[in-house]
Amino acid sequence: MSVSPATSSEARAADGAAPHLRHVFDRLGLMESVLAVADSPAAVLMWDAFDGKELVRIPTGPSLRARFKYPYIIVHRIDLHNVLLDACRRSDAIELVADAMVAGFEDRGDHVAVTTQDGRAFSGAALVAADGVRSFFRQRLIGDGEPRSSGYAALRTIIPMSELKIDVPRDSVLLWGGPGYHIIHYPLRHGREFNLVAVYRTAMHAEKADTATYRAELDYIHRDAHPLVRSLSTMLDFRWRRSVADRNPVRHWHNGRIVLIGDAAHATLQSLAQGACMAIEDGLCLGELIHAEEDDFPAAPWGAHMNHAFPQMFPPFSNFVLTKAGELFQ
């Protein structure tokens, strides 16, 4: 069994996927489907939020492909989810069950039993929990409380490209960096949409307030910024405002036949843009190791795998990403 949430916030989310994730789609036979809904930006740029000068330029064309074998892409998260969902629907080995909120679970030695809030019961050889940064399963397995706040808030907005009236690059990923804040934007859906994300330090990161209060605060933070930054700021939708948080690294992501993956296991800040990448890599790694043992769950995947291979392969890497993302963020 695999458990994951569906949230309305996905409608405003987009992912930048570095080349190292493309091998996962290649292995799954989904490369062409992913590329069909993704964009490959002309470059990844960083500009000074005060004077607009270019600080960093990373070409994403032939030189990057020659070095890393795969392109750098940007994709609307719903489009990526649909590619993965369609692949699941085509598989006779996968049964999709929606609207099944888990209320309880139990590892019974030779299988895992799950009950839902509406009284249904399910069982399986193992349980893979991919239920996000506020994971219900993590609290039962690890019990480390609420996510760790960074002191920052994030705003996500997607608008039709036809409504963009500001003279900024429309074919690249561009990050405007300032003291305690940044704004990043890039095209989506083959140039039809414009994704805009603002992240900023604020004492009100976890507080509820009205739009006017949030707007006044951000206007003050951007008061000395380049005119284009201030113009971009006016486009932000404050209905999707979230406190930015992560979790401390842990050594073990499993207990018996139950395993955490994705943000449930290693929620990270967005500084290295690796959250979605690591979650997808988790899934491939887990699936490959289970397949290598011919679906013998009690043997390698949940015995040798979960106590040897998975902890040695992924937690050290993910914990490194968590640590470095935090350092860069500060």
Side-chain angles (χ1 to χ4, degrees):
M1 293 178 288
S2 178
V3 183
S4 60
T7 65
S8 60
S9 64
E10 304 301 340
R12 297 178 182 275
D15 292 309
H20 67 82
L21 182 60
R22 305 281 66 76
H23 78 95
V24 176
F25 299 135
D26 227 356
R27 295 281 290 278
L28 296 174
L30 298 177
M31 177 66 79
E32 290 187 7
S33 297
V34 171
L35 292 179
V37 298
D39 293 78
S40 185
V44 176
L45 309 171
M46 181 176 182
W47 288 5
D48 189 300
F50 288 122
D51 58 21
K53 290 183 178 179
E54 183 175 290
L55 304 175
V56 177
R57 171 178 290 267
I58 303 174
T60 55
S63 60
L64 183 139
R65 295 191 184 206
R67 179 174 180 179
F68 295 105
K69 311 302 181 187
Y70 295 104
Y72 180 93
I73 64 170
I74 41 183
V75 61
H76 197 298
R77 190 168 296 179
I78 286 180
D79 295 337
L80 178 57
H81 280 189
N82 283 335
V83 169
L84 298 172
L85 185 59
D86 289 343
C88 290
R89 287 170 174 153
R90 293 193 296 268
S91 173
D92 294 334
I94 298 174
E95 177 186 4
L96 297 168
V97 180
D99 297 322
M101 184 64 71
V102 174
F105 61 95
E106 181 183 1
D107 185 342
R108 296 182 176 173
D110 61 347
H111 71 284
V112 178
V114 165
T115 56
T116 62
Q117 289 181 353
D118 57 8
R120 285 177 288 171
F122 300 88
S123 64
L127 188 151
V128 180
D131 57 333
V133 64
R134 288 180 169 81
S135 169
F136 166 73
F137 297 92
R138 182 182 178 113
Q139 290 313 305
R140 292 284 297 275
L141 297 181
I142 301 174
D144 56 349
E146 286 294 304
R148 177 180 58 184
S149 175
S150 67
Y152 285 72
L155 296 163
R156 296 177 183 269
T157 303
I158 296 177
I159 66 168
M161 190 68 80
S162 59
E163 295 181 8
L164 179 64
K165 308 304 181 184
I166 303 172
D167 186 19
V168 293
R170 303 182 182 209
D171 62 350
S172 299
V173 176
L174 172 54
L175 183 147
W176 300 79
Y181 68 85
H182 68 262
I183 289 181
I184 187 169
H185 53 77
Y186 47 85
L188 288 174
R189 292 177 167 167
H190 307 310
R192 297 192 304 274
E193 294 181 347
F194 184 75
N195 186 57
L196 178 62
V197 180
V199 179
Y200 54 99
R201 187 189 299 120
T202 168
M204 297 173 54
H205 58 87
E207 295 181 18
K208 298 293 184 182
D210 56 34
T211 297
T213 300
Y214 288 148
R215 170 72 65 190
E217 179 191 43
L218 194 57
D219 287 345
Y220 181 78
I221 290 171
H222 291 159
R223 65 192 183 281
D224 296 322
H226 191 281
L228 288 176
V229 171
R230 298 200 301 273
S231 295
L232 289 165
S233 181
T234 66
M235 299 163 51
L236 291 165
D237 184 352
F238 284 83
R239 291 175 298 176
W240 200 101
R241 180 186 183 274
R242 298 290 185 273
S243 176
V244 177
D246 65 355
R247 287 191 177 276
N248 286 318
V250 293
R251 287 184 176 276
H252 300 290
W253 304 341
H254 76 289
N255 187 354
R257 290 175 173 265
I258 303 165
V259 62
L260 309 173
I261 66 172
D263 278 354
H266 45 66
T268 181
L269 301 177
Q270 81 283 3
S271 312
L272 294 180
Q274 286 295 301
C277 292
M278 289 194 297
I280 295 171
E281 287 179 316
D282 284 352
L284 177 68
C285 176
L286 186 57
E288 292 281 298
L289 290 168
I290 292 172
H291 178 71
E293 293 300 325
E294 299 180 347
D295 298 337
D296 185 357
F297 289 90
W302 306 95
H305 158 216
M306 293 313 303
N307 291 298
H308 177 68
F310 207 51
Q312 291 200 22
M313 291 172 66
F314 265 73
F317 168 74
S318 297
N319 291 346
F320 170 80
V321 172
L322 264 64
T323 301
K324 291 302 178 185
E327 289 176 1
L328 287 175
F329 200 66
Q330 298 301 327

